[in-house]
Amino acid sequence: MIGNWLSTLVPEPGARRRLGLATGIYNIGTGMFITSSVLYFTEGLGLSITEVGLWLAVAGLIGLFGGVPMGHLADRRGPRGVAVLSLVVLALTMAAYVFVTSIWMFVVVTVVEMLATSASRASRGGLIRRVGGEGAAAYRSQLRAIENAGVGVGAVLGGLALQLDTLAAYQALFLVNAATFLIGAWVCARLPLFAPMPAPPGSRRWVALRDRPFIAYTALNGVMSLQYAVITFALPLWIATETSAPRWMVGAVLLVNTFGVVALQVWVGRKVRTIHQGAAAMRVAGFVFLVACAGVAVAADLPAWAAAAVLLAAVAVHSVGEMCHAAAVFALSFELPPAHAQSEYVGLQDMGLGTAFAVAPAVLGALCLGLGQVGWLLLGGLFVAAGMATVPVARWALRSRPFPLTSDGVPVPGADISTGPVVASSGRDAA
């Protein structure tokens, strides 16, 4: 049974498995970075928490504006080259952090890192659509499970450096992180060199920025994306300050969330393929988040053992909502955009996601920590409203698509993707 489950996480041989391998490798580096970066910046580099927080926010906002133009470049030049180049730049920024000696060097490196991250995410959207074909949404769910597994492994390695708590350990971690990005770039470079998809006659430039239904969906998805900060920001503080549960529960709930996504994301993603299914999954996610938020709120009034049990159950429920939300995003982000502008649309979608990450501490702090139990219920209501609003927005998008929803130029699963709109690349790109 375990073997069957593992087989669902491993993409089929060829380009899909190769991209999955690259994804797993560089997300190990991402896990190490997430775990250790803030302490390295503050304790290793001697920067203040205020400086780090301010400039990370500024760099993140600058990076938001890089997604659409970098996605457009990937659509017009081919997604593989931009994806590979962005991973190489990310490797260089990880190595550059080792040599930072001033706040201004930190700012420059961080801005470049955020721009490269935006380029990587946008170009990868186009790459996934070309590699995944008509099953791109389900394939993206596989990649998300692989991402979470990679981040989990990286977090364990990052924890070892935290335990050593020396400058040399942090620097070694960043250099290993750089190596994971370089290896990921090398693996991605062995993917087929997909030629750009031709734009339909009469198409205008920057089509994503003119697509009002997709912009509305992007805003709603930004609201729903606040849920990611619930597990990483609001819940740890709530557990530590407002419940009688032991503090080790912070790590326990993170493990429940991570393992839940790794185990079930592929299964959930396979059930959400169309625009209608994506909108319905977003609506379901909103109600599931409301139930989870209510459980977290109730935990504040319970004794330690009951609070721990309720929190674990609430996080398990939240994880189901997270998987429904992710599956909805994958379906909508691959079915609504035209094939020739996939990366540009992903860049626009990531602007909403990045905005959510930027404002999440302030919003969740005001609601969940400022208003307490009522705030958790209001947050759940916000998720319900965003989920329900996605349904009419999806219908609006369906009525207003000026292009076919499925492009004949996108390969189908199982097809020989070395033919059709693919340029041969020195023989090593054969699946």
Side-chain angles (χ1 to χ4, degrees), residues 49 79 83 122 175 194 196 299 365 406 421:
I49 295 177
L175 293 176
F194 296 102
T406 302

Side-chain angles (χ1 to χ4, degrees), residues 140-167:
R140 182 64 185 87
S141 288
Q142 272 187 310
L143 292 181
R144 184 165 191 263
I146 294 171
E147 287 169 5
N148 277 266
V151 168
V153 173
V156 172
L157 297 176
L160 296 177
L162 294 180
Q163 190 67 30
L164 294 174
D165 196 26
T166 65
L167 180 61

Side-chain angles (χ1 to χ4, degrees), residues 7-340:
S7 67
T8 65
L9 300 182
V10 179
E12 56 264 39
R16 287 191 177 193
R17 183 170 296 180
R18 197 168 292 155
L19 182 55
L21 176 62
T23 298
I25 291 171
Y26 65 72
N27 271 284
I28 292 175
T30 300
M32 292 189 291
F33 182 80
I34 291 172
T35 305
S36 62
S37 58
V38 173
L39 286 176
Y40 172 66
F41 296 150
T42 54
E43 297 181 5
L45 301 182
L47 304 176
S48 71
I49 295 177
T50 302
E51 287 176 322
V52 171
L54 172 64
W55 288 112
L56 284 177
V58 170
L61 291 174
I62 293 173
L64 289 180
F65 295 99
V68 173
M70 288 296 101
H72 181 74
L73 178 65
D75 290 325
R76 299 282 55 84
R77 299 291 182 179
R80 193 193 73 172
V82 177
V84 170
L85 180 60
S86 61
L87 289 175
V88 171
V89 174
L90 283 169
L92 294 176
T93 59
M94 291 301 112
Y97 278 124
V98 174
F99 303 99
V100 167
T101 57
S102 69
I103 183 62
W104 297 114
M105 291 177 67
F106 171 77
V107 171
V108 170
V109 174
T110 302
V111 169
V112 174
E113 180 214 333
M114 293 297 182
L115 288 170
T117 298
S118 292
S120 175
R121 290 176 60 89
S123 60
R124 201 165 71 103
L127 201 57
I128 291 169
R129 179 160 183 169
R130 302 299 291 275
V131 172
E134 290 184 352
Y139 176 56
R140 182 64 185 87
S141 288
Q142 272 187 310
L143 292 181
R144 184 165 191 263
I146 294 171
E147 287 169 5
N148 277 266
V151 168
V153 173
V156 172
L157 297 176
L160 296 177
L162 294 180
Q163 190 67 30
L164 294 174
D165 196 26
T166 65
L167 180 61
Y170 287 124
Q171 291 176 331
L173 205 64
F174 272 70
L175 293 176
V176 173
N177 188 5
T180 67
F181 281 111
L182 283 178
I183 296 171
W186 176 76
V187 175
C188 282
R190 297 176 60 81
L191 291 168
L193 182 59
F194 296 102
M197 296 290 293
S203 296
R204 303 171 71 181
R205 294 191 64 185
W206 308 111
V207 61
L209 297 177
R210 304 174 189 272
D211 192 337
R212 289 183 294 174
F214 195 87
I215 291 172
Y217 152 72
T218 295
L220 292 173
N221 182 49
V223 174
M224 291 291 282
S225 295
L226 290 172
Q227 60 93 1
Y228 290 112
V230 168
I231 298 293
T232 59
F233 175 78
L235 189 56
L237 292 175
W238 181 259
I239 291 173
T241 62
E242 301 295 335
T243 76
S244 58
R247 292 202 169 201
W248 55 260
M249 280 296 300
V250 173
V253 297
L254 289 174
L255 285 176
V256 168
N257 178 253
T258 299
F259 285 122
V261 171
V262 172
L264 297 175
Q265 182 66 69
V266 176
W267 181 78
V268 174
R270 286 177 173 173
K271 298 179 180 296
V272 183
R273 297 173 177 269
T274 67
I275 293 173
H276 289 299
Q277 290 170 341
M282 192 78 87
R283 180 175 56 195
V284 169
F287 284 101
V288 173
F289 288 141
L290 174 60
V291 174
C293 287
V296 172
V298 167
D301 296 327
L302 300 175
W305 68 268
V310 170
L311 286 169
L312 287 174
V315 170
V317 171
H318 180 95
S319 299
V320 173
E322 181 178 327
M323 288 181 278
C324 290
H325 173 216
V329 169
F330 301 155
L332 295 171
S333 64
F334 286 115
E335 291 296 322
L336 288 176
H340 74 277

